[in-house]
Amino acid sequence: MIQSHTPMDDALAMIFSGTSSVIMIAIYVVFAIAAWKMFSKAGYAGILAFIPIVNVIILVKIAGYSGWMSLLYLIPIAGWIFAIFVALRIGANYGKGAGFSVFLLWLLPPIGYFILGLGDSRYAPVRH
């Protein structure tokens, strides 16, 4: 019997391989380290950045929304739109503009979180 080799086989092998798991864990750890200092500046315990669902709730609270609003991330299109609003509000609360918020807090969050956490920006909630 002749076995065929398809691109789907390669994709499934990568998904279920240990290499992709290690890469995803590394990306998550970098995100959590970046968010740690940002959480601390906002008055939350930095260790909360490592807890998967709690870190999203804290990000939403830092943005000035209720923690329950983080459930909007579960709705497909509304989640993307809400993520933009959260990024804009977080940027405003740290004294950054809309360009910084969209490009570095929404598109490349670990870089933006490192800049907010390790930079000289201060958390000052803005009344919206």
Side-chain angles (χ1 to χ4, degrees), residues 1-82:
M1 189 162 181
I2 299 173
Q3 292 182 350
S4 63
H5 185 69
T6 65
M8 187 62 149
D9 295 334
D10 292 336
L12 287 173
M14 186 177 136
I15 289 171
F16 294 112
S17 73
T19 305
S20 62
S21 299
V22 170
I23 291 170
M24 291 307 296
I25 290 171
I27 291 170
Y28 185 77
V29 168
V30 168
F31 163 78
I33 291 170
W36 180 301
K37 192 71 172 164
M38 190 181 75
F39 284 12
S40 298
K41 281 186 176 183
Y44 293 97
I47 194 72
L48 295 176
F50 283 97
I51 304 171
I53 296 170
V54 174
N55 61 14
V56 173
I57 294 170
I58 299 300
L59 282 174
V60 171
K61 285 184 171 186
I62 289 173
Y65 295 114
S66 168
W68 287 102
M69 298 272 298
S70 60
L71 291 174
L72 287 174
Y73 280 114
L74 299 175
I75 303 170
I77 295 173
W80 285 80
I81 295 168
F82 183 63

Side-chain angles (χ1 to χ4, degrees), residues 30 32 43 82 86 90 99 122:
V30 168
F82 183 63
V86 168
I90 288 174
R122 297 186 189 277

Side-chain angles (χ1 to χ4, degrees), residues 31 34 100-115:
F31 163 78
F100 177 89
S101 298
V102 170
F103 290 112
L104 291 177
L105 293 178
W106 184 62
L107 290 175
L108 301 168
I111 296 171
Y113 296 160
F114 270 121
I115 292 171

Side-chain angles (χ1 to χ4, degrees), residues 41 94 96 114-123:
K41 281 186 176 183
Y94 279 93
K96 302 294 183 184
F114 270 121
I115 292 171
L116 291 180
L118 300 176
D120 60 351
S121 59
R122 297 186 189 277
Y123 179 73

